[in-house]
Amino acid sequence: MTVGMDQADRHGHQPKGHSMQLASPRGRREKGAVPKISKGDFAPKDTENSPAVVSIESFEYTPAYFARWKVSASDWMLLLVISMAAVVVRCYKLSNPANVVFDEVHFGKFAGKYLNSTYFFDLHPPLAKMMFAAVGRLAGYDGVFDFKSIGLDYIAANVPYVAMRLMPALLGAATVPATYATVRACGYAMDTAALAALLVCVENGLVTQSRLILLDSPLVFFTVLTLLCWSMFWTVQDRPFSRVWWAWLLATGLTMGCAASCKWVAFFLIPTIGLSTLHDLWDKIADQSLSPARWSMHFGARAIALICVPVAVYIGWFYVHFAVLSTTGGDAAALSPEFQVSLDGAKQMVTDRDVYYGSEIRMRSTNARSGFLHSHLHPWQHDKGSGQQQVTIYSYADANNVWVVEPAYNRTVDTSQGLVPVRNGDVLRLRHKTTGRFLHSHDKRPAMSNDKNKFELSGYGFANFSGDSNDNFRVDILEGDPAIQGSATELQSIYSRFRLVHTNLHCMVFNSRKKLPKWAFEQIEVNCMRNCLPRMSTWHVEHAFHPNTTAGAPVRKASYRPLGMLGKIWEYNKLMADSNQNLIGDHSFAARPQHWPWLRRGTAYWGGPGRLIYQLGNPLIWWGSLAALAVFATVRMVLFLLDKRRIRLQLGGQRNQYISGAGFFALAWTCHYVPFFLMGRELFTHHYFPALWMAIIVMAFTVDLVTCRLPRLLRSAVYVAVAAAVLHAFHTFSYITYARTWTKDACLRAKWLPTWDLDCEHAIGGLKGTVPPVAEPVFVDSKPENGVDQAVPKAADQVSNDPKYVQPEFINLPLDNGSGNKMIQPQLVQALPADNDDQAHNEL
């Protein structure tokens, strides 16, 4: 990240006749700065008979640091005005609407979980959620309100929702003066910094997101703060290893760790800061006046501040997270048993340690949270299948998870000397205790795949049938517990990790992690797969019991060891990564990255009579920032080509400053935008917000470049025109930002693009623009029973189809957890049972 700023006037203009150069505030550079070089500014065209004649002019090479920004009284005054305006814009009618909006369903609920110390799982890191919980606690929230559906009334439940919304609003407001400071640190004049701050202040999408109990406002705040600290660090490069140098460097690492602790989108700061650091260190390698020891000190300082500090901060917030969430909860079932038993109130699993022939066992998939090997009295119903009994993976302890270990087909074991343990390499069969059928595989494709290396698993057998060789599986123990003797050679509960290998097909029992259709009760598919990796084909016995164990005889027991803190953090983050990767669906407001910069559509958050909240950015800012990125790319390419021709354009004296400043933030935008194209998961427009802020900075720099040589009055007129245009657009779309009452005609006029799917029926004059009457209960006569007439309510579908019945609603939208985790809208939804056997589940 480099920039040059020489003797510029207060508007950023370069005095004529001066070459672009940078001196430190004390008129010196750090020992080892790059010396002067010479290069041609202009070369006439080549002629047929002679080479180009190059006019050489000596100029000073721009060192890799900013000029120090000395905050003036005018800066302080402008910062005060900007901050006040930002607070007003973010906090205006913050209480409106007084209902649960969009993903407040999730993050408000999580705040309550923190206050009640009840464990939950979420696919985002904990910092932002803990901040909401802390504010809720200070405001008197008791954690009882469950935020279970969009539209629930906060006031009736006495929830301090305004205070909880105030926190992200103030963080969003703080990004505005931080933007001003960042631009000033890059060497730009006050008017350019004020313009950038205004663009961030009136960006409707950022305003909408910062007014609700959502994670994006803390994310953007810490991202902006990270790049501000990094910019300030570059202003003190002439004072290496001084206190202020260390302060800004360590602050960069600290805020980067906090950003990553809010949402993983902040991990894109790593390549942003990392590439800038590598460029700087590479330049220092070429500096012959820097000794290797001095260079090593620079390297070590950056490694400590930009690697160790963020990692420590990230881990530290997880320490706080698990210290607070100490009590087990429903979401704990998604994690390993070792994790679960580390929580207060969790049931400790104690079971027989040794597995014998004749033992009744329950097998768990070791490296997935899917659950237990399971079967039930229902046939496979897919076209490729055998029609034999289903074998699946079920998430809960259940009687249908129990299998009996028996010798292989046409083999016996000698039990005359006592129970015979199962050893590594043994070939055996597993008989389903409830239905009596054997675990079986054959040359049939499984339900969810046509891969020729995958085979159906089924339960096979019937009365007076002894089975066949396709029931045989070999036990391959992969590893045992080093602390438990014999666990690597004999099959032991909990301590032995093993695979089941089909002896005929040479495939392994494999957890595909794919959800089966409703005819299989949406349980998880398990099949038999050849050449699979151990991760999803590894199992362990969680429970074992042999009915012939001698009464009173000592029986060795096994139990899970609780995970330590670092183990819990590691497992939780692996589960977060897995959950993010598997967020693949068809959310009605999902948007792919190629649609974000030109604002193809927004996201509906809430709707009420005459009002709605639709997260849509300020289109002039989005389109202007996209155009500015295109201008920068074009200018950079043209300058590169001209430099090859030894024609060095100075861009009105702004070349170094623009290429360095805009170049860094264009790089940051690229790092925060392009990686999304590699993601197959569901994505939404709000994932673009950090990149949008960086594009806005490039937009302000580009406006400065275009106007830098204009007369002062004309330059000011351009700035005023840009400000007026974005303010007009902000006002136009403020109705959907603040849930203001508007008419259907105004809503339709606001649809600048046909792809903006605003629900104008919620506006005044629309079908949903007035409060619907409350429907009275509708009764129909039923058949008399025992001579007495009865009146029973209509079924839900009968009532909804009655033309006289008007069902009240807030908005008919799917829910989302902020990252595309599609939820079922909480209306009249009948939950399917996880299993529907004739036998009892005894579900735990």
Side-chain angles (χ1 to χ4, degrees), residues 668-788:
W669 176 86
T670 303
C671 292
H672 283 75
Y673 175 60
V674 173
F676 285 108
F677 286 93
L678 306 177
M679 300 182 188
R681 55 152 294 177
E682 249 179 355
L683 297 169
F684 296 83
T685 305
H686 60 251
H687 287 111
Y688 185 65
F689 283 154
L692 173 64
W693 180 82
M694 298 155 196
I696 290 173
I697 300 297
V698 177
M699 180 180 174
F701 291 173
T702 303
V703 173
D704 178 88
L705 176 69
V706 172
T707 61
C708 67
R709 306 309 296 175
L710 295 178
R712 182 176 303 176
L713 186 60
L714 185 56
R715 172 184 166 95
S716 299
V718 172
Y719 275 58
V720 169
V722 172
V726 298
L727 284 169
H728 172 73
F730 172 75
H731 177 266
T732 299
F733 297 100
S734 64
Y735 294 91
I736 56 176
T737 299
Y738 296 109
R740 297 172 58 195
T741 301
W742 66 346
T743 64
K744 183 177 180 180
D745 289 340
C747 177
L748 293 173
R749 287 195 302 270
K751 287 188 175 184
W752 291 6
L753 294 182
T755 53
W756 293 353
D757 44 2
L758 297 166
D759 187 0
C760 293
E761 296 301 329
H762 277 281
I764 298 298
L767 296 177
K768 306 170 187 176
T770 56
V771 179
V774 178
E776 297 181 357
V778 180
F779 294 90
V780 295
D781 292 334
S782 67
K783 294 181 180 180
E785 183 177 348
N786 299 327
V788 180

Side-chain angles (χ1 to χ4, degrees), residues 40-56 642-647:
D41 271 348
F42 173 76
K45 295 181 179 180
D46 287 337
T47 64
E48 183 177 350
N49 299 321
S50 64
V53 178
V54 182
S55 173
I56 304 296
L642 290 178
D643 285 350
K644 288 295 184 181
R645 302 289 294 176
R646 296 181 65 82
I647 303 172

Side-chain angles (χ1 to χ4, degrees), residues 357 406-412 427-429 472-473:
Y357 286 95
E406 295 194 357
Y409 174 67
N410 282 341
R411 297 185 189 179
T412 60
V427 177
L428 49 74
R429 293 185 297 174
N472 290 345
F473 290 85

Side-chain angles (χ1 to χ4, degrees), residues 818-841:
S819 288
N821 190 7
K822 188 171 70 174
M823 306 290 291
I824 299 175
Q825 185 174 0
Q827 294 188 9
L828 293 175
V829 179
Q830 182 179 1
L832 290 173
D835 199 358
N836 192 25
D837 298 353
D838 295 332
Q839 309 294 332
H841 306 339

Side-chain angles (χ1 to χ4, degrees), residues 401-444:
N401 302 338
V402 179
W403 302 81
V404 181
V405 181
E406 295 194 357
Y409 174 67
N410 282 341
R411 297 185 189 179
T412 60
V413 295
D414 183 7
T415 59
S416 61
Q417 302 299 319
L419 301 178
V420 179
V422 177
R423 294 182 171 87
N424 184 33
D426 281 5
V427 177
L428 49 74
R429 293 185 297 174
L430 293 177
R431 176 172 55 84
H432 191 241
K433 182 181 179 182
T434 304
T435 63
R437 294 175 178 174
F438 289 102
L439 182 68
H440 181 92
S441 190
H442 43 217
D443 193 12
K444 294 284 186 181

